[in-house]
């Protein structure tokens, strides 16, 4: 799981972009801790043809799932 | 939360909030100007923090001293709405002292141009062509700043902090604001831009709404151009454009529009320094992760790194005015402006190198 907690914009979406470019994963899970990152990653994922969902975990962080 | 709907309806569904925020900010700038704020400066984060620095006597430039309620309102609005929406998260520890000094240089650059990115947009909407030169510099600065980001630049992670850490800046601002209402406690301009202001109650209420909308929409002047350059994501740019449209229309209906370089309110025509000042602002803002407006909103959300950046802005304003670096309508300051701008560029370059972990 890609952990982008504590990173300010645009680092979270940049980390996802790097991962997508390098490995073209069918699914990718990202752990984020603010909604701005969730929204930015969602817009980026959608633009790359991914279906994006997120849920809040017990720690109050967000698990974002990108899938083809 | 996907939205792949095509056409204009889909566009609006994806971007309505950031467009609404831009329109409200533009309208707020026009209304606050009509109610007394300086022309083409209805809402300027750099100018207003500079005025606050003056009111607290961190500098003694008599024409720019007033405790601007708008700054307090933006932070409060962002704090209240983020608490309601459960997005208020005290966080900090991401290179705080680095951020403080970047904030200082961003403010110094902004006061060479005479405005933050938000005022730059408001000035464009008011017909001030010098602001287009500033915009060019801002874009160049952002593009420069995206290079270290692409190569792995980071100010490192922030971590969860205590509630007190997230509440300190908003609380201090509220206390200072209340104290500012006591006559003659703080310095207050009797002439010049600092003497021109809307009634405090209107100013703070409007700013609370703006702060809340900015928190929800994540509007950021630097982020808009950065995301367009790096990700071809134009979402935030629509807010940027909406501000210009609202201000243009507002000005048409109020004091009229005049497109020119010369004789614009609180602006100078030195193109080189307008450009260089905003290069520093753009570059610094990208490294910070957001423009001065966004830093206020993040501080409201409990981010103590952004709170320290805001203090860096205020310190930068004091340095600017104490050492003749700030411009005025007459032109650039009498101090060593070019050398300090160069020092700012060198500082950002060194930071960019030291904080970049080259990736394979």
């Amino acid at each position: 799981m890609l952990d982008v907690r504590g990173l300010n914009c645009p680092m979270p979406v940049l980390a996802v972009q790097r991962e997508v470019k390098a490995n073209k994963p069918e699914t990718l899970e990202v752990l984020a801790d603010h909604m701005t990152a969730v929204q930015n990653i969602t817009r980026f994922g959608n633009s790359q043809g991914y279906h994006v969902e997120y849920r809040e975990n017990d720690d109050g962080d967000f698990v974002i799932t990108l899938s083809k | 939360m996907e939205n792949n709907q095509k056409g204009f309806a889909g566009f609006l569904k994806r971007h309505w909030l950031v467009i609404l925020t831009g329109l409200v900010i533009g309208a707020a700038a026009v209304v606050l100007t009509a109610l007394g704020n300086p022309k083409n400066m209805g809402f300027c984060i750099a100018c207003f923090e500079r005025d606050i620095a003056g009111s607290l006597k961190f500098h003694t430039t008599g024409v720019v001293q007033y405790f601007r309620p708008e700054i307090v309102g933006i932070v409060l609005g962002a704090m209240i709405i983020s608490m309601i929406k459960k997005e208020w998260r005290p966080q900090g520890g991401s290179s705080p002292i680095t951020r403080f000094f970047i904030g200082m240089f961003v403010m110094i650059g902004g006061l060479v141009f005479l405005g933050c990115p938000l005022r730059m947009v408001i000035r464009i909407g008011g017909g001030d062509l010098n602001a287009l030169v500033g915009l060019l510099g801002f874009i160049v600065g952002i593009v420069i700043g995206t290079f270290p980001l692409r190569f792995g630049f980071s100010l490192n992670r922030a971590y969860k902090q205590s509630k007190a850490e997230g509440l300190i800046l908003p609380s201090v601002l509220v206390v200072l604001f209340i104290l500012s209402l006591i006559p003659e406690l703080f310095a207050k301009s009797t002439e010049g831009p600092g003497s021109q202001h809307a009634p405090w109650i209107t100013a703070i209420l409007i700013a609370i709404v703006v702060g809340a909308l900015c928190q929800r929409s994540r509007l950021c002047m630097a982020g808009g151009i950065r995301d367009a350059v790096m990700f071809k994501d134009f979402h935030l740019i629509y807010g940027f454009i909406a501000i210009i449209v609202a201000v243009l229309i507002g000005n048409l209906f109020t004091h009229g529009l005049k497109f020119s370089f010369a004789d614009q309110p609180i602006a100078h025509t030195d193109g080189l320094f307008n450009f260089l000042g905003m290069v520093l602002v753009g570059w610094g803002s990208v490294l910070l992760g957001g423009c001065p407006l966004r830093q206020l909103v993040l501080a409201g959300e409990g981010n103590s790194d952004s709170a320290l950046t805001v203090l860096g802005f205020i310190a930068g304003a004091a340095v600017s005015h104490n050492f003749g670096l700030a411009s005025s309508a007459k032109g650039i300051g009498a101090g060593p402006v070019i050398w300090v701008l160069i020092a700012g560029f060198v500082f950002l370059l060194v930071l960019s190198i030291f904080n970049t972990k080259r990736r394979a």
Side-chain angles (χ1 to χ4, degrees), chain B residues 86-168:
Chain B
K86 297 189 169 49
E87 289 185 15
W88 189 75
R89 288 168 183 241
Q91 260 198 344
S94 161
S95 309
I97 200 69
T98 304
R99 289 177 187 272
F100 178 88
F101 280 101
I102 298 177
M104 276 186 71
F105 278 114
V106 165
M107 178 59 90
I108 289 168
L111 290 178
V112 169
F113 165 71
L114 285 176
C116 66
L118 180 56
R119 180 170 188 235
M120 175 188 76
V121 176
I122 291 169
R123 282 173 58 175
I124 292 171
D128 181 348
L129 300 178
N130 301 295
L132 285 177
V133 179
L135 174 62
L136 190 64
F138 188 53
I139 293 170
V140 168
I142 288 171
V143 171
I144 293 171
T146 60
F147 283 105
L149 294 190
R150 288 179 203 276
F151 285 99
F153 173 88
S154 171
L155 291 177
N156 298 311
R157 288 178 198 267
Y159 295 92
K160 282 179 186 163
Q161 303 289 339
S162 68
K163 285 182 180 173
E165 178 80 356
L167 283 171
I168 286 178

Side-chain angles (χ1 to χ4, degrees), chain A:
Chain A
M1 188 182 295
L2 197 58
D3 183 359
V4 297
R5 288 175 301 171
L7 296 176
N8 67 238
C9 290
M11 307 310 168
V13 68
L14 205 52
V16 173
Q17 187 190 41
R18 278 197 195 101
E19 181 64 24
V20 166
K21 254 189 183 172
N23 300 320
K24 299 181 178 59
E26 284 294 308
T27 61
L28 175 64
E29 281 205 327
V30 187
L31 186 62
D33 61 356
H34 54 89
M35 273 308 287
T36 310
V38 175
Q39 291 169 353
N40 289 346
I41 290 168
T42 301
R43 277 203 308 279
F44 174 74
N46 289 162
S47 76
Q48 301 298 306
Y50 285 94
H51 173 73
V52 185
E53 286 177 339
Y54 76 95
R55 64 179 169 80
E56 201 170 336
N57 69 13
D58 295 340
D59 297 327
D61 296 324
F62 302 101
V63 179
I64 311 162
T65 310
L66 293 83
S67 53
K68 283 279 185 185

Side-chain angles (χ1 to χ4, degrees), chain B residues 204-265:
Chain B
I204 199 162
L205 288 176
I206 287 178
I208 286 173
V209 173
V210 166
L213 279 170
C214 287
Q215 197 278 334
R216 298 313 301 151
S217 66
R218 334 289 178 193
L219 182 73
C220 174
M221 303 288 115
I225 297 168
R226 176 202 66 205
D227 290 354
V229 171
M230 295 190 77
F231 310 110
K232 296 188 173 43
D233 177 355
F234 298 94
H235 174 71
L236 294 174
I237 289 246
Y238 298 127
F240 198 102
I241 295 168
I243 298 174
I244 298 179
V245 170
V247 174
L248 269 171
I249 294 170
N251 281 333
L252 273 176
F253 282 101
T254 53
H255 58 82
L257 260 179
K258 188 184 77 172
F259 289 97
S260 70
F261 283 99
D263 301 323
Q264 288 289 344

Side-chain angles (χ1 to χ4, degrees), chain B residues 36 38 46-47 53-54 72 103 105 113 123 171 181 193 200 246 261 263 267 278 291 294 317 319 352:
Chain B
C47 313
V72 185
F105 278 114
F113 165 71
R123 282 173 58 175
S171 308
L181 300 175
W200 66 263
F261 283 99
D263 301 323
M278 288 311 282
C291 68
R294 182 79 183 137
V319 168
S352 299

